[in-house]
Amino acid sequence: MSRPLLISDCDEVILHFIPHFAEWVEEAAELSFDLTAGFAGALKSRDGRIVPQERAWSLLDLFFEREMHRQNVVPGAVAALKAIGEAADIVILTNIGDDYQANRVAQLEAFEIRHRVLCNQGGKGRPVRELVETMRPGPAVFVDDLAVHHESVAKHAPEVSRLHMIADPSLAALTPPAPHADARIDDWDAALPWILARLGGESGR
């Protein structure tokens, strides 16, 4: 058994994504990005037509290929990760294509965040299970902004504590707490004691 383990998402947990993507698609494609109705209908043309989901995914890929430098770090994330890193190993599990891993590593290093980065597609439960089986940590904590990933981790690695965090205030206000998370905290300063307690072996919500 090795040190405790934090497995964290990146976008809207460590780095802001939504405002930067919205700014870029307006500049580059004259589209608006509004998550009020969910991602499937978030991108719209100026006449109000919903952009087909295939084009939305291609624009996301283009953003991660060319525009990741726009993203700013979430307040409190750097200090919190530094404190956590003194007590635990940290893996950043991000749902972007493998082709963009180098970009992700570089943008995190620009904020002096230097941890292992794993790219993933689909649910995060299986890769979390693999990390736990491979690294054999003490207590482990998973942090993500999407409820679907908390459900996946609850299914495949139920022993891992799960924290629902959404750094973007507008999205956080629209999103209820993930049913399969152990807690919902949207601020790193408030989340840090909760994470450290679970990495130290405390249980409960």
Side-chain angles (χ1 to χ4, degrees), residues 5-170:
L5 175 63
L6 172 70
I7 304 168
S8 177
D9 183 32
C10 186
D11 295 311
E12 291 310 339
V13 173
I14 297 174
L15 299 178
H16 279 301
F17 167 76
I18 289 170
H20 307 300
F21 180 72
E23 179 184 60
W24 173 71
V25 292
E26 183 176 5
E27 292 174 4
E30 296 187 343
L31 300 173
S32 64
F33 183 67
D34 180 3
L35 283 167
T36 303
F39 183 76
L43 277 173
K44 294 181 180 178
S45 63
R46 290 192 172 176
D47 60 6
R49 288 180 296 174
I50 294 175
V51 173
Q53 200 158 3
E54 314 83 70
R55 190 183 179 207
W57 287 115
S58 68
L59 285 167
L60 275 173
D61 283 340
L62 193 60
F63 179 87
F64 286 125
E65 180 181 341
R66 302 180 183 177
E67 303 294 332
M68 290 168 75
H69 62 273
R70 292 175 178 258
Q71 293 181 257
N72 289 325
V73 70
V74 170
V78 173
L81 291 173
K82 183 177 180 181
I84 293 166
E86 294 176 358
D89 293 328
I90 298 174
V91 175
I92 297 169
L93 180 61
T94 178
N95 265 24
I96 59 175
D98 290 337
D99 291 345
Y100 312 129
Q101 183 184 29
N103 289 3
R104 177 115 288 173
V105 170
Q107 70 173 166
L108 289 168
E109 285 187 345
F111 298 108
E112 299 187 355
I113 298 172
R114 299 179 180 91
H115 300 289
R116 181 182 177 189
V117 174
L118 292 181
C119 296
N120 179 65
Q121 298 293 311
K124 293 185 177 179
R126 293 186 186 277
V128 168
R129 174 83 264 152
E130 291 173 5
L131 282 169
V132 169
E133 291 179 351
T134 300
M135 298 179 71
R136 297 181 60 80
V141 173
F142 172 76
V143 183
D144 204 284
D145 65 316
L146 296 181
V148 64
H149 294 313
H150 288 283
E151 182 177 3
S152 180
V153 172
K155 176 181 178 180
H156 294 284
E159 72 276 25
V160 175
S161 296
R162 299 172 298 278
L163 176 63
H164 189 198
M165 177 186 290
I166 303 176
D168 181 75
S170 60

